[in-house]
Amino acid sequence: MSLTLPAAYSSASKLSNIQENWIVQLYYDDGSSFTPISLADTTVGSVFYHGVITNVPSIRSSINLAKSTAKTGNISLSVVNFQYKGDDFSAELFLGTRKYINRNVKIYSQLNGDSTLSNCLQVYQGRLIDISHDDATIRLTLTEQRPWDFISIPQTKTSDKSIYF
């Protein structure tokens, strides 16, 4: 994923006292709506992001051009099992009417409380692949979307065993 640096983000990054917040959009169902969470409470574009992420996430990804190898980037988020729409957030993720697994996740870097999403830098896009929890904490595992995800390779051959279909 290439990064496009918004002008307001670039200006804010040159200040001497920077406050960064990561905002996360957990998309569900058909991908037209999302559940907003973040490192700290904030409002961006009239959407309130619950500051419930307790770890400092890092994006792990690597590429070795000499050996032609790459490792998929992934992120683990630890989230407080807070009250969301009258129930535990874990109930929303596991038992709710919305489906989150294998749906899109976007992460943005917000500097100095900027309230416009276009001024935030998108630093990650992936999908939610695992959810686990106990009474107090939820662990979300995200992985990068790869071009070959959900593509199946033909295994059936024609009767003369020469053409896959």
Side-chain angles (χ1 to χ4, degrees):
M1 177 183 88
S2 64
L3 300 176
T4 303
L5 192 63
Y9 189 93
S10 178
S11 298
S13 67
K14 294 174 184 167
L15 299 175
S16 61
N17 189 13
I18 298 173
Q19 239 182 349
E20 184 183 32
N21 185 23
W22 278 21
I23 59 175
V24 178
Q25 298 175 338
L26 297 170
Y27 285 84
Y28 54 84
D29 295 341
D30 65 357
S32 62
S33 299
F34 62 87
T35 300
I37 60 174
S38 63
L39 291 171
D41 286 350
T42 189
T43 301
V44 178
S46 75
V47 175
F48 178 73
Y49 288 79
H50 302 272
V52 294
I53 300 172
T54 59
N55 66 325
V56 179
S58 63
I59 302 169
R60 297 173 296 276
S61 186
S62 68
I63 186 168
N64 185 330
L65 297 175
K67 293 182 180 180
S68 297
T69 60
K71 292 183 182 176
T72 300
N74 60 43
I75 296 178
S76 295
L77 300 175
S78 293
V79 178
V80 173
N81 196 3
F82 69 106
Q83 287 293 301
Y84 182 75
K85 295 187 177 181
D87 206 352
D88 289 344
F89 190 51
S90 60
E92 166 72 13
L93 296 173
F94 280 108
L95 305 170
T97 57
R98 299 175 186 95
K99 307 298 182 245
Y100 289 89
I101 292 289
N102 284 326
R103 300 308 192 271
N104 211 12
V105 177
K106 293 181 181 178
I107 299 177
Y108 294 86
S109 171
Q110 174 197 41
L111 293 185
N112 302 328
D114 198 310
S115 62
T116 306
L117 188 61
S118 62
N119 291 340
C120 297
L121 177 65
Q122 184 178 343
V123 294
Y124 187 84
Q125 181 167 344
R127 59 187 172 90
L128 180 62
I129 60 167
D130 188 45
I131 305 167
S132 60
H133 78 100
D134 58 28
D135 287 340
T137 306
I138 304 167
R139 182 178 170 90
L140 305 176
T141 305
L142 316 174
T143 189
E144 269 182 340
Q145 288 181 315
R146 300 161 301 211
W148 57 85
D149 282 349
F150 307 114
I151 294 177
S152 59
I153 298 173
Q155 299 297 314
T156 308
K157 290 185 178 182
T158 58
S159 58
D160 66 355
K161 309 259 191 237
S162 61
I163 301 174
Y164 286 97
F165 67 94

